Amino acid sequence: MSAIVPEGWETDEEDDPVFGVTFDPSGGDFGFFSEMSFRSGCDGLCEPTDWRARLEDDDGFLTTSRANFEHLTDEALADGWLLVSEGFSGGIDGTVIVWNNGADRYLVCDFTLDEEDTAYLDAFVAACSSSSPGWFPS
């Protein structure tokens, strides 16, 4: 998988495309609660499909998320979707879903930005959107 993460961020986990990998700042300029993670999903249908339609189906990821969280941002991206909600103690939580209809899974990039890091929202959205898992067909 090709992913963009802030310089100096580290993970203690092995890269696992299904269960994911989480990156945390190792000191530096980011707040204590900031983190970024990548995982895959398939909403129970792990085969190539129209991912936007599947994610917005009655039991799809986007539909479920909308039912459980109030989002500040809920908008389409090129071959993906962005959800942003209020986070802990003045911060924000974001999810970028990236898909390729020829792939059997989609990529989920979750991030939490501490209150002091919310100005980096656009950079994290761009980093998540630019990530490319190895299971996407070329």
Side-chain angles (χ1 to χ4, degrees):
M1 181 170 121
S2 171
I4 299 171
V5 297
E7 185 175 340
W9 282 35
E10 298 176 353
T11 182
D12 291 332
E13 305 166 30
E14 291 185 31
D15 186 8
D16 182 331
V18 176
F19 297 109
V21 60
T22 299
F23 293 88
D24 298 298
S26 57
D29 297 332
F30 285 89
F32 179 76
F33 294 108
S34 291
E35 69 176 19
M36 182 180 209
S37 64
F38 298 90
R39 60 188 165 84
S40 70
C42 68
D43 273 11
L45 180 67
C46 297
E47 60 186 45
T49 190
D50 178 342
W51 285 112
R52 181 172 180 173
R54 176 67 191 125
L55 292 166
E56 292 189 296
D57 198 4
D58 290 341
D59 61 345
F61 182 94
L62 291 172
T63 304
T64 303
S65 183
R66 290 173 181 141
N68 293 319
F69 300 100
E70 184 176 329
H71 295 100
L72 304 170
T73 305
D74 183 346
E75 65 186 38
L77 302 171
D79 295 321
W81 207 266
L82 170 63
L83 299 170
V84 177
S85 59
E86 289 184 20
F88 179 74
S89 188
I92 53 176
D93 294 328
T95 299
V96 174
I97 302 167
V98 180
W99 60 72
N100 176 314
N101 288 338
D104 62 357
R105 295 173 278 165
Y106 54 87
L107 176 67
V108 180
C109 175
D110 292 309
F111 56 88
T112 297
L113 296 175
D114 202 315
E115 180 178 22
E116 63 193 61
D117 301 330
T118 59
Y120 295 112
L121 174 62
D122 291 341
F124 274 73
V125 171
C128 289
S129 299
S130 298
S131 297
S132 179
W135 66 83
F136 277 12
S138 315

